[in-house]
Amino acid sequence: MARLSAWGALVPVVALAAGLLFATSGRTAQGTDLRAGEVTELSALIRERESAMAAQEQRLAELQRRSEQLTEQAAARDGAVAEARSAGELGVPAAGLTPVSGSGLEITLDDAPRRPDGTLPGNARPDDLVIHQSDVQAVVNAMWAAGASGVTVMDQRLIATSAVRCVGNTLLLQGRTYSPPFVVRAVVDSTAARQQLAASPQILVFRQVVDAYGLTYEVRERPQLELPAYDGPLTLQHAVAG
């Protein structure tokens, strides 16, 4: 009877402690799922970074406009400045700093569709079913090799310092992330571009995967493309002579 009495005395204490824990958890969660904390924090961080980047891009555009105004004023007073400005403007189109338009190609690359039951086709690995950095880069390289006057990936204009990188199955380009399908557009002679795509060893391997596992690789001719000017930073971090 003494042992039962002891347990009987502990029951109210345990119930009180549990009630306090539930109340504390409820106040902390405030109606949210505490287990989703890391995911929520990551999503919030991504939104915060994107907002900060948008603000920085706006500030950059304002500074660029102000710099152009000051350059114009200096060129009006100083012949040497005017000459240097004229020389610099000759390289603007080649640098990708002006919009380009004309006929060309639009290439779309996308992951293989998921099966309803979640199984993988044949002997495929998960990596076989997604678009990789090398696939996008091979298409871009073919466009440059064909003499493209301008190339964009996901409507982002590429220049000499642009780098196409993939993180998982997302594309990281000039500070932004994109999910497939990935779209490459180029103002280029379509015949020359198709020849370069057909001659690329990387594209050949990629097309074999496309045929085997159902990835998307579509090449369409466009009679008129409008590619925006590059408007990002121009600082060169490093270069290696090859």
Side-chain angles (χ1 to χ4, degrees), residues 27-103:
R27 285 195 299 270
T28 302
Q30 294 182 346
T32 62
D33 184 358
L34 288 175
R35 294 173 297 176
E38 294 183 0
V39 176
T40 302
E41 290 175 4
L42 180 58
S43 300
L45 179 60
I46 292 174
R47 288 194 297 270
E48 178 184 343
R49 294 299 184 188
E50 289 179 345
S51 177
M53 180 173 296
Q56 291 173 354
E57 289 177 346
Q58 183 178 359
R59 177 58 176 162
L60 173 62
E62 294 173 355
L63 291 174
Q64 288 175 335
R65 286 193 294 268
R66 180 57 178 162
S67 175
E68 291 173 0
Q69 292 173 355
L70 293 174
T71 302
E72 289 178 0
Q73 294 173 5
R77 298 189 302 268
D78 191 319
V81 174
E83 183 178 353
R85 185 187 181 199
S86 298
E89 288 177 347
L90 293 176
V92 167
L97 303 181
T98 57
V100 295
S101 61
S103 62

Side-chain angles (χ1 to χ4, degrees), residues 107-110 131 135 139 142-143 193-194 196-198 203-204 206-207 210-211 214-220:
I107 301 100
T108 303
L109 304 93
D110 198 1
I131 300 298
D135 305 325
V139 171
M143 296 302 100
R194 287 183 180 275
Q196 289 296 331
L197 289 171
I203 296 294
L204 176 61
F206 172 60
R207 293 187 66 174
V210 169
D211 294 338
L215 284 79
T216 295
Y217 173 65
E218 296 177 345
V219 180
R220 299 184 181 91

Side-chain angles (χ1 to χ4, degrees), residues 10-225:
L10 284 174
V11 168
V13 176
V14 173
L16 177 61
L20 289 173
L21 286 174
F22 286 136
T24 302
S25 176
R27 285 195 299 270
T28 302
Q30 294 182 346
T32 62
D33 184 358
L34 288 175
R35 294 173 297 176
E38 294 183 0
V39 176
T40 302
E41 290 175 4
L42 180 58
S43 300
L45 179 60
I46 292 174
R47 288 194 297 270
E48 178 184 343
R49 294 299 184 188
E50 289 179 345
S51 177
M53 180 173 296
Q56 291 173 354
E57 289 177 346
Q58 183 178 359
R59 177 58 176 162
L60 173 62
E62 294 173 355
L63 291 174
Q64 288 175 335
R65 286 193 294 268
R66 180 57 178 162
S67 175
E68 291 173 0
Q69 292 173 355
L70 293 174
T71 302
E72 289 178 0
Q73 294 173 5
R77 298 189 302 268
D78 191 319
V81 174
E83 183 178 353
R85 185 187 181 199
S86 298
E89 288 177 347
L90 293 176
V92 167
L97 303 181
T98 57
V100 295
S101 61
S103 62
L105 291 185
E106 178 181 281
I107 301 100
T108 303
L109 304 93
D110 198 1
D111 298 345
R114 293 182 178 272
R115 290 186 170 184
D117 59 1
T119 60
L120 302 180
N123 297 319
R125 302 167 300 170
D127 274 357
D128 295 328
L129 308 179
V130 299
I131 300 298
H132 291 277
Q133 171 182 322
S134 57
D135 305 325
V136 180
Q137 190 64 63
V139 171
V140 170
N141 290 345
M143 296 302 100
W144 289 131
S149 57
V151 180
T152 64
V153 176
M154 305 303 283
D155 291 327
Q156 290 291 316
R157 183 75 176 272
L158 302 185
I159 61 172
T161 56
S162 299
V164 178
R165 297 188 179 92
C166 283
V167 180
N169 70 331
T170 61
L171 180 69
L172 178 62
L173 178 63
Q174 294 164 187
R176 296 182 177 91
T177 56
Y178 302 93
S179 298
F182 303 129
V183 180
V184 180
R185 295 186 177 95
V187 173
V188 64
D189 179 79
S190 59
T191 301
R194 287 183 180 275
Q195 290 174 348
Q196 289 296 331
L197 289 171
S200 168
Q202 293 83 6
I203 296 294
L204 176 61
V205 172
F206 172 60
R207 293 187 66 174
Q208 293 172 351
V209 177
V210 169
D211 294 338
Y213 303 125
L215 284 79
T216 295
Y217 173 65
E218 296 177 345
V219 180
R220 299 184 181 91
E221 294 192 17
R222 297 301 188 196
Q224 185 68 19
L225 290 171

